[in-house]
């Protein structure tokens, strides 16, 4: 995999990584809110920070999971590769918070805590990882479930070079 393809894969993983959780017991209100996101979603964005901006498209399927969880599986198509991610989102009654967990075919995993304000649940993921080439990177992703939409903003910083890639993907049904 070329350096450009690797960087693109890392950024795409960050985009889709916002949506996953750990097992939990949720009340009716929390389950109803999560269930409102069940369905098929599409989004498009532009990867900024490389040699030139690169457009990409994503699909996301959100399904009802076991107990009080929803599952998701997503795929982004970039110029020279596909990235897939999957995970779960749930409400943890003991901690009184939403949580999301994800894994990707690019080797990245993460857990994000969700904060609810009004009709918005915002997940903030910040991870330090090592890419397939052995380089240290910082991944930041914000996922917002807002009404009948999902938005994923992300940033990847390659510590060795200082390069930063960013993208924002609004998803709609």
């Amino acid at each position: 995999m070329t350096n450009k393809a690797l960087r693109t894969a890392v950024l795409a993983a960050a985009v889709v990584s916002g949506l996953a959780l750990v097992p939990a017991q949720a009340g009716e209100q929390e389950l109803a809110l999560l269930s409102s996101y069940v369905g098929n979603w599409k989004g498009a964005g532009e990867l900024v920070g490389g040699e030139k901006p690169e457009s990409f498209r994503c699909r996301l399927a959100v399904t009802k999971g076991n107990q009080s969880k929803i599952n998701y599986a997503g795929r982004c198509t970039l110029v020279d590769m596909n990235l897939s991610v999957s995970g779960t989102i749930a409400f943890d009654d003991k901690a009184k918070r939403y949580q999301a967990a994800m894994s990707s075919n690019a080797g990245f995993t993460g857990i994000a805590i969700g904060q609810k304000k009004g009709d918005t649940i915002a997940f903030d993921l910040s991870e330090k990882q090592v890419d397939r080439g052995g380089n240290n990177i910082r991944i930041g992703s914000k996922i917002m479930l807002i009404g009948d939409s999902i938005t994923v903003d992300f940033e990847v910083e390659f510590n060795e070079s200082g390069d930063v890639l960013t993208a924002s993907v609004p998803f709609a049904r």
Side-chain angles (χ1 to χ4, degrees), residues 7 11 46-54 158 163-167:
R7 288 175 183 234
L11 187 57
E46 189 172 75
L47 180 61
V48 178
E51 292 176 22
K52 64 179 183 170
E54 291 184 48
F158 297 86
D163 292 345
V164 178
L165 301 175
T166 62

Side-chain angles (χ1 to χ4, degrees), residues 84-164:
S84 61
V85 297
S86 61
T88 304
I89 299 174
F91 184 80
D92 182 339
D93 275 337
K94 284 186 178 182
K96 301 289 185 214
R97 65 184 183 194
Y98 291 90
Q99 297 177 10
M102 67 76 63
S103 62
S104 76
N105 67 340
F108 294 97
T109 61
I111 294 179
I113 304 303
Q115 301 294 320
K116 185 172 186 292
K117 292 182 183 174
D119 69 345
T120 300
I121 304 172
F123 295 90
D124 196 354
L125 172 69
S126 183
E127 296 282 326
K128 292 181 182 180
Q129 298 200 11
V130 177
D131 67 18
R132 290 182 183 175
N135 302 302
N136 291 323
I137 59 172
R138 179 188 56 79
I139 300 172
S141 180
K142 292 188 183 207
I143 295 88
M144 291 180 285
L145 307 177
I146 307 168
D148 195 32
S149 68
I150 299 172
T151 298
V152 179
D153 296 328
F154 57 91
E155 176 179 277
V156 176
E157 179 179 2
F158 297 86
N159 297 349
E160 185 176 299
S161 67
D163 292 345
V164 178

Side-chain angles (χ1 to χ4, degrees), residues 4 8 45-56 78-80:
K4 180 180 176 184
T8 302
E46 189 172 75
L47 180 61
V48 178
E51 292 176 22
K52 64 179 183 170
E54 291 184 48
S55 297
F56 61 93
L78 295 102
V79 174
D80 55 357

Side-chain angles (χ1 to χ4, degrees), residues 32-82:
L33 181 57
L34 290 176
S35 295
S36 73
Y37 291 95
V38 169
N40 294 312
W41 299 80
K42 293 181 181 180
E46 189 172 75
L47 180 61
V48 178
E51 292 176 22
K52 64 179 183 170
E54 291 184 48
S55 297
F56 61 93
R57 298 196 173 284
C58 300
R59 292 185 329 237
L60 182 67
V62 180
T63 59
K64 177 137 177 47
N66 295 331
Q67 300 169 341
S68 58
K69 298 181 264 182
I70 58 172
N71 300 320
Y72 67 90
R75 177 180 218 86
C76 288
T77 302
L78 295 102
V79 174
D80 55 357
M81 68 173 303
N82 287 317

